[in-house]
Amino acid sequence: MRIVSNTAVSLDGKTTLVLDKHEFLGSEEDRKNMSRLRAQADAILVGGSSFRNWPYPLLPHSDDLEKCDPQKKWLQVVVSRRMNFDNILSNFISVKQLQLLFFTRKDSCPPHFPHEVLSYSDDPTIPQIVDELAQRGINTLLIEAGGNLITQFIRHNLLHEIYITICPKIIGNNRSPSLVDGTGLDRFLVPQMTLKECRTVKNEVFLHYVL
Ligand SMILES: NC(=O)c1ccc[n+]([C@@H]2O[C@H](COP(=O)([O-])OP(=O)(O)OC[C@H]3O[C@@H](n4cnc5c(N)ncnc54)[C@H](OP(=O)(O)O)[C@@H]3O)[C@@H](O)[C@H]2O)c1
């Protein structure tokens, strides 16, 4: 399985100003780039916090959608401990091109949850999630999660490509989330990356690295 991430960051490497609010850092060109990556993917993964901040179907935009197989159905994967998604799941009713799949721990699984849930005795690990998606025939997994989950993929050596859009903004708050968060990586896990593409459009830089 090919596993890629796509993130828009400020000049100081932050992904958003505050944790509990969704902000578009990028321009229209960045959103087009995101749409093309979604069109290439079979599954798109976020964490619970990103899902609450942007509780909408993560699908390609209509012009990219038209170029895809009309039968294609994307899997939107949500990884969560808290599973507190009251009032937002109705946004997914009657979205035919998308199926939601939640990964959580057994003691967090709400009864009568209206979408498919896979629960584990402890927090689901990245290898467990990747194995499950591989068994379901997912060839390309796009991670649109924040730095917390991206770090977990890198730590397990399960992130193969990174797309980054550098946006001409400075956020400058040391509590703002960044591309890679959490406790950080051990020195020997710091990945060596190869630059595959560097594209500049107006004031933004689109980078594509392979790990
Ligand atoms: N600029 C960008 O391109 C971009 C992209 C993505 C996100 N963001 C922003 O970044 C911020 C969120 O960052 P984040 O790192 O907290 O993102 P996240 O993608 O929501 O990941 C963190 C959440 O994932 C769940 N989680 C993580 N590891 C887990 C595990 N092993 N088992 C079960 N659940 C697990 C938890 O959800 P629960 O809280 O539900 O338990 C946790 O709060 C948001 O403000 C978002 O809008 C920006």
Side-chain angles (χ1 to χ4, degrees), residues 65-79:
L65 211 46
E66 279 165 18
K67 293 177 205 148
C68 295
D69 177 348
Q71 305 300 321
K72 179 165 177 171
K73 211 167 181 183
W74 283 261
L75 195 60
Q76 183 163 329
V77 179
V78 181
V79 185

Side-chain angles (χ1 to χ4, degrees), residues 7-124:
T7 314
V9 299
S10 63
L11 293 182
D12 50 338
K14 308 293 185 187
T15 55
T16 187
L17 186 59
V18 281
L19 252 181
D20 57 357
K21 194 167 171 287
H22 179 86
E23 287 156 294
F24 277 117
L25 289 183
S27 66
E28 186 52 37
E29 183 60 31
D30 178 51
R31 287 193 277 282
K32 282 185 190 158
N33 196 53
M34 177 182 74
S35 169
R36 284 191 290 268
L37 291 172
R38 286 179 183 173
Q40 291 166 16
D42 311 299
I44 300 168
L45 179 145
V46 290
S49 167
S50 298
F51 186 64
R52 282 186 292 272
N53 289 351
W54 188 256
Y56 301 104
L58 301 177
L59 285 168
H61 297 163
S62 51
D63 44 347
D64 289 317
L65 211 46
E66 279 165 18
K67 293 177 205 148
C68 295
D69 177 348
Q71 305 300 321
K72 179 165 177 171
K73 211 167 181 183
W74 283 261
L75 195 60
Q76 183 163 329
V77 179
V78 181
V79 185
S80 174
R81 288 183 192 96
R82 290 181 278 168
M83 292 292 284
N84 51 343
F85 304 123
D86 291 347
N87 309 323
I88 60 176
L89 296 172
S90 57
N91 296 343
F92 294 83
I93 293 170
S94 75
V95 183
K96 292 191 185 66
Q97 300 99 330
L98 195 91
Q99 187 192 332
L100 276 171
L101 173 63
F102 291 79
F103 283 87
T104 190
R105 42 190 305 156
K106 279 210 167 73
D107 51 14
S108 306
C109 187
H112 314 300
F113 197 74
H115 295 276
E116 190 181 1
V117 183
L118 294 175
S119 56
Y120 297 80
S121 50
D122 209 329
D123 279 354

